[in-house]
Amino acid sequence: MHSLTLAEARERAELISVTSYAVELDLDQGAEVFGSVSSIAFTCGSPGADSWVDVKARSIESIMLNGTALDPAEVAGGRMPLRDLAAENVLVVRATMAYSHDGQGLHRATDPADRRDYVYGHLFLDAAPSVYACFDQPDLKAPYDITVRAPQDWVVLGNGAATASGPSSPGEWRLATTRPLATYFVTVCAGPYVSVRDEHDGIPLGLHARASLREPLERHAAEIFTVTRQSFDYFHGLFGIRYPFGEYHQVFVPEFNAGAMENPGCVTFRDQYLFRGAATRDELLSRANTVSHEMSHMWFGDLVTMKWWDDLWLNESFAEYMSHRCLVDATEYTDAWVDSSIVRKVWGYGAERSPSTHPVAGVEALDAQSALQNFDGIAYAKGAAVLRQLIAYVGDEAFIAGVRAYLTDRSYSNGTLADFLGAIERASGTDLRAWSSGWLLTADRDTISVDLEEQDGVVRSARLLREVPAAHPADRPHALDVAGWTDGVAVSRVDVMAVGDETPLDGLAGSAHPAVLVPNSSDLTWARVRLDDGTLDALPVQLSRVPDAQARAVIWSALIDGVHVADVSPVTFLDVFEATWVLEGNASILTRMALYAEHRVVPHFVPRQGQARALARLARSAGDLLARAEEGTTRSLAAARLLAGTSADESLLRAWAEGSGLPRGLEDDGDFRWIVVRNLASRGLIDGAAVDSFRSRDDTLQGALNALMCRAALPVPEAKSWAWDQLTGRHGRSNYEMVHLARGLWMSPDDGLVADYVERYFTDVPAMSAWVGEDALSRVVLAAFPKVFTEATETLSRAALRRDDLTPAVRRSLVDADAELREALASRATFGAAMGVGIAASPM
């Protein structure tokens, strides 16, 4: 299919204005296809000119332009030519569309728990034409009237309030006329959804999920509604504009590619957010953040939409920043910025380390699909950090005044970087051209560190050092602080606006030399933090004594960065983990560092021969914490999960798998049991029949996915061959199934078992672009990238990147996976010789 270019979008927007859409969807035609009728009223600024409409149909029954039939055979590459347009036009396209199974377009999934089907629309970024004919670009917004025919036992939800037609037209639903929407925000959710409803400040609220998730939906509804109400009140007060899209529904849908999607009035979420079993506090925080994030999009993105995809940050950076601000100011999750440091910024820093790094803004996306490649941790986490720096630069009052003016002036239309910066400049009286050049328009990040001179334990002088990346030099002022602690006592803290390569830290002079010194301790800026050698050496003893969770998060983030760039040994990371993790009090740091240690540090950076001992260290820490943690708490749950995933104690694992001796709160937790089963399967302690037995106890969508991963993880050639065929063959596997198969396949006790699939990956997986959508395939490419960290794999990866037939999504994911491979190889080359000794040095 042809990807819309920026030049084409500009040309069409100058010619076409869309007045309205009337869309009829018939979802009662079976499990494979649905009917779609689009009636589009639009004007043409140059009567007699030609244009085109976007439509990606299974078949087209008719196309009528101003009452004249057009030939559907002219549709090519997803476009239908429209010739000799009138000043005012009506286009009617009747088509049969195909449901998707890759999370894009109108996705249809079957719940194994009751064999009932659920449908939802996810039209980001350019999937709208696979649901209805449209002028598919973000700056051609229009109101919608949508009618849906569905099976009689289904519920229908969408952007406008849904009303069933009644006995005279069973199964027919009408959605209220919407405000002007961009095409990619349109959604319809239909199926036997169960609901919990409420109201706040005159806004009808609804939560919806699959029937098999009724219990967790009802159990979590109060918490979700509370965050929803708090976010509405906060954003109404902050922006000075009431929510404009009528009802507000939040639908938890299966097999969703993203975390959530901000469809006005009908937000869709991945249904894993309805935790079936126990949930840690940071998981609840993450969900609350997503709820608030998507709501903030009702203003940033929905009310005011970016004009073109190169201003994606106007959506995501703002939502990222505003959701964290809202959680801290208006909810119980006052440590949301700590969570951001250890989750979101770690993700963003990974994107910044990759060769695919790019500026936050100003990257001219030449077509829609290339724009998708910038939908990453830079657009989210870095963008939010940059906004915090902008606030430090102009002041919060001026920032909010500028935001209000921007939202008011551009309501129901589109905005650009220039529009936004202009609003902030007018509100603050500050010229932002130089600031924008450094922070928004230049890629990469600075490295900051502190150089101290001390005598007799007293700091005599100190300076903040800033190293600018040679490949992307920029002048970025950093508003940050530097703080130090010794034995849990704060001995120094200084705020600074760092400009240039060196900035004096006069406020540190005369203070005691701290055992732990942390640049950017409040994590206000976006930079790589390099810890001094003394701090690194002191961390096993001192880190748990630092009372500031935000500073501890910065330290852990710096350790992660150091491991990835081969400055910090994985052994050092594991030493700090073993010495301090059991004492960590912040839920986000506790759970995320356990996940990072188990799933990234050990498998990527520890050579194969040292991994068993490294996992044993993690298991020992987990057992220690489990023994001392209060039952039923986040600490107990985090410890149990880490122990379940890393322990080699077969008797413990078998007992837990069978439900015996489980920690309190995990007795009926199917998700926890699958962690245990995965460990047993990957070690070859159970076979496929046992996996099937556990699958029979959890006859749900999540149970089916976990069983696929466990079957793929079995350390026998037959299991790997089956998994590869199911992953790369045309078996109708969903996006989620493919990712779970990929994750299980590379779980292996040795490289030889999976060696045959390393070379095949670079041919078989890119070829899947013939039948898998770009958004889904980009995730499969990352999940399926060979976890065999050798120079031979690197050679194959480099050769693949020289190909000229890769789709944009495949190429971007390959670039990022290749960068991670090279990081692992560099670390192993630097520390590998001593790594086995270091890991073995700690007693078993």
Side-chain angles (χ1 to χ4, degrees):
M1 294 292 180
H2 189 95
S3 182
L4 182 70
T5 68
L6 172 58
E8 290 171 333
R10 286 173 173 168
E11 178 184 352
R12 189 162 63 172
E14 289 177 359
L15 185 69
I16 297 295
S17 294
V18 184
T19 305
S20 66
Y21 284 94
V23 178
E24 300 173 25
L25 300 178
D26 185 354
L27 309 185
D28 202 12
Q29 297 186 7
E32 298 300 322
V33 299
F34 60 96
S36 172
V37 180
S38 298
S39 299
I40 313 171
F42 65 98
T43 62
C44 174
S46 300
D50 300 339
S51 189
W52 75 93
V53 70
D54 303 293
V55 57
K56 303 173 184 177
R58 174 72 64 86
S59 64
I60 298 177
E61 283 67 61
S62 68
I63 304 177
M64 302 290 291
L65 176 61
N66 299 328
T68 300
L70 305 182
D71 185 359
E74 291 194 56
V75 173
R79 296 181 173 186
M80 176 65 202
L82 303 176
R83 300 183 179 91
D84 192 22
L85 294 172
E88 296 187 1
N89 304 270
V90 175
L91 178 71
V92 181
V93 180
R94 297 180 179 274
T96 299
M97 304 292 195
Y99 289 111
S100 81
H101 301 287
D102 62 6
Q104 296 172 250
L106 201 59
H107 183 96
R108 186 167 182 142
T110 302
D111 188 344
D114 54 18
R115 306 308 303 172
R116 303 179 83 181
D117 283 4
Y118 294 84
V119 168
Y120 63 88
H122 182 60
L123 306 192
F124 180 85
L125 172 140
D126 59 357
S130 68
V131 178
Y132 64 100
C134 58
F135 297 105
D136 190 28
Q137 57 191 75
D139 57 342
L140 291 180
K141 301 172 73 171
Y144 284 78
D145 286 283
I146 297 177
T147 302
V148 180
R149 176 170 293 280
Q152 294 185 34
D153 62 337
W154 282 19
V155 173
V156 172
L157 303 158
N159 304 103
T163 304
S165 295
S168 60
S169 301
E172 185 170 294
W173 297 73
R174 294 187 180 277
L175 306 184
T177 303
T178 71
R179 296 282 197 165
L181 305 180
T183 49
Y184 76 98
F185 286 138
V186 175
T187 193
V188 165
C189 300
Y193 287 98
V194 294
S195 305
V196 179
R197 296 178 183 270
D198 204 339
E199 181 270 342
H200 177 66
D201 194 18
I203 304 168
L205 307 177
L207 303 176
H208 316 271
R210 288 179 282 132
S212 63
L213 293 177
R214 178 188 294 273
E215 186 279 327
L217 175 70
E218 294 177 347
R219 174 160 44 92
H220 290 283
E223 153 81 3
I224 297 170
F225 276 140
T226 294
V227 174
T228 300
R229 295 187 196 97
Q230 291 168 330
S231 297
F232 264 130
D233 291 344
Y234 185 76
F235 292 137
H236 283 157
L238 193 67
F239 301 145
I241 301 173
R242 278 189 59 81
Y243 167 70
F245 297 109
E247 297 185 356
Y248 194 75
H249 296 279
Q250 298 174 89
V251 190
F252 295 86
V253 299
E255 300 175 345
F256 197 66
N257 280 330
M261 179 65 196
E262 64 271 20
N263 313 301
C266 189
V267 179
T268 44
F269 294 81
R270 60 169 56 210
D271 59 15
Q272 290 95 326
Y273 279 128
L274 294 178
F275 306 109
R276 300 190 305 166
T280 58
R281 184 184 184 278
D282 67 291
E283 288 174 325
L284 298 177
L285 187 159
S286 178
R287 183 178 65 194
N289 183 68
T290 305
V291 167
S292 189
H293 178 110
E294 301 310 319
M295 186 184 292
S296 69
H297 271 311
M298 298 300 119
W299 290 267
F300 287 99
D302 297 3
L303 179 65
V304 182
T305 306
M306 62 199 171
K307 189 176 183 65
W308 180 245
W309 301 108
D310 51 3
D311 277 325
L312 178 69
W313 78 285
L314 284 172
N315 289 13
E316 300 306 340
S317 300
F318 281 93
E320 183 84 359
Y321 169 74
M322 289 298 176
S323 63
H324 285 87
R325 176 172 177 151
C326 175
L327 290 195
V328 170
D329 290 351
T331 78
E332 67 176 276
Y333 299 108
T334 55
D335 58 339
W337 285 119
V338 177
D339 186 80
S340 173
S341 297
I342 210 63
V343 180
R344 310 296 285 180
K345 291 184 79 170
V346 167
W347 170 43
Y349 286 155
E352 194 84 286
R353 287 192 304 268
S354 174
S356 63
T357 186
H358 56 86
V360 172
V363 181
E364 190 172 70
L366 298 182
D367 62 69
Q369 282 300 327
S370 66
L372 181 62
Q373 311 323 309
N374 294 335
F375 193 67
D376 58 14
I378 293 172
Y380 285 79
K382 182 178 182 178
V386 167
L387 289 178
R388 296 184 83 182
Q389 286 297 300
L390 177 59
I391 291 168
Y393 196 70
V394 303
D396 190 66
E397 184 176 344
F399 173 76
I400 295 301
V403 165
R404 286 186 169 199
Y406 170 76
L407 293 174
T408 301
D409 294 345
R410 310 303 302 173
S411 287
Y412 305 111
S413 62
N414 300 85
T416 66
L417 169 63
D419 294 330
F420 172 73
L421 290 181
I424 302 298
E425 286 181 331
R426 288 188 291 274
S428 65
T430 304
D431 188 328
L432 294 175
R433 284 174 294 181
W435 183 93
S436 174
S437 176
W439 276 114
L440 290 175
L441 303 179
T442 307
D444 220 329
R445 57 184 175 152
D446 300 335
T447 298
I448 57 174
S449 59
V450 175
D451 178 54
L452 290 180
E453 292 185 9
E454 59 96 11
Q455 183 177 356
D456 299 327
V458 176
V459 176
R460 294 305 180 192
S461 65
R463 54 186 181 150
L464 184 79
L465 305 181
R466 181 180 72 108
E467 298 176 29
V468 178
H472 304 99
D475 184 13
R476 285 177 280 256
H478 293 266
L480 54 85
D481 59 356
V482 178
W485 291 266
T486 299
D487 294 330
V489 177
V491 297
S492 57
R493 182 183 292 272
V494 59
D495 297 319
V496 62
M497 176 65 80
V499 179
D501 295 338
E502 297 184 11
T503 302
L505 298 174
D506 296 336
L508 295 183
S511 64
H513 189 292
V516 174
L517 183 64
V518 189
N520 194 32
S521 64
S522 295
D523 206 10
L524 299 176
T525 195
W526 179 266
R528 183 188 167 205
V529 171
R530 180 180 291 131
L531 302 173
D532 64 87
D533 291 342
T535 294
L536 283 173
D537 292 341
L539 288 180
V541 172
Q542 294 287 337
L543 177 56
S544 61
R545 300 176 183 177
V546 174
D548 186 340
Q550 187 69 75
R552 297 197 305 275
V554 171
I555 292 169
W556 277 113
S557 177
L559 287 173
I560 290 170
D561 241 334
V563 169
H564 278 273
V565 299
D567 279 353
V568 174
S569 168
V571 175
T572 299
F573 183 97
L574 292 171
D575 287 344
V576 176
F577 184 95
E578 191 169 29
T580 67
W581 182 74
V582 297
L583 302 173
E584 179 56 56
N586 180 269
S588 297
I589 298 174
L590 184 79
T591 60
R592 298 299 174 155
M593 285 305 93
L595 289 169
Y596 212 87
E598 178 185 358
H599 296 290
R600 179 54 66 91
V601 173
V602 173
H604 282 232
F605 297 100
V606 176
R608 182 75 75 177
Q609 65 271 20
Q611 289 180 7
R613 289 183 177 273
L615 289 174
R617 296 184 70 179
L618 299 182
R620 184 167 54 249
S621 294
D624 185 7
L625 179 56
L626 187 60
R628 67 170 73 184
E630 181 182 351
E631 289 187 328
T633 62
T634 287
R635 287 170 57 77
S636 177
L637 179 54
R641 287 176 176 173
L642 182 60
L643 187 58
T646 59
S647 176
D649 185 340
E650 183 177 353
S651 61
L652 173 69
L653 295 174
R654 288 189 181 279
W656 278 4
E658 295 299 333
S660 176
L662 286 164
R664 184 168 64 85
L666 296 175
E667 294 85 357
D668 298 311
D669 194 324
D671 291 330
F672 178 78
R673 181 169 58 242
W674 281 114
I675 298 175
V676 180
V677 175
R678 183 201 71 212
N679 192 353
L680 287 166
S682 65
R683 295 176 183 272
L685 298 176
I686 57 174
D687 59 14
V691 173
D692 290 343
S693 175
F694 288 111
R695 166 74 177 85
S696 67
R697 305 182 202 181
D698 187 9
D699 191 21
T700 65
L701 190 60
Q702 196 61 40
L705 293 171
N706 282 314
L708 281 177
M709 180 166 61
C710 291
R711 275 182 122 350
L714 294 170
V716 293
E718 296 78 9
K720 303 304 180 185
S721 176
W722 170 83
W724 190 257
D725 174 68
Q726 293 297 306
L727 170 63
T728 61
R730 294 196 183 206
H731 297 290
R733 291 291 187 184
S734 73
N735 48 334
Y736 270 43
E737 288 174 328
M738 290 184 287
V739 167
H740 279 73
L741 284 163
R743 288 172 177 167
L745 183 135
W746 296 110
M747 295 178 190
S748 175
D750 62 79
D751 291 344
L753 182 61
V754 292
D756 289 346
Y757 304 103
V758 175
E759 186 170 359
R760 292 179 63 180
Y761 165 87
F762 295 101
T763 56
D764 294 1
V765 173
M768 294 166 64
S769 60
W771 67 90
V772 180
E774 288 281 274
D775 193 13
L777 186 57
S778 66
R779 300 165 200 274
V780 174
V781 169
L782 285 172
F785 191 87
K787 304 305 184 287
V788 177
F789 300 99
T790 64
E791 292 181 359
T793 304
E794 182 185 24
T795 299
L796 290 167
S797 180
R798 288 301 183 91
L801 287 171
R802 290 193 293 270
R803 292 168 51 178
D804 59 7
D805 62 339
L806 301 177
T807 65
V810 170
R811 179 173 297 280
R812 167 61 192 269
S813 291
L814 274 179
V815 167
D816 290 344
D818 178 78
E820 292 177 358
L821 168 65
R822 287 185 286 110
E823 287 179 344
L825 291 175
S827 176
R828 293 183 182 201
T830 303
F831 302 109
M835 203 173 297
V837 175
I839 291 172
S842 187
M844 299 297 289

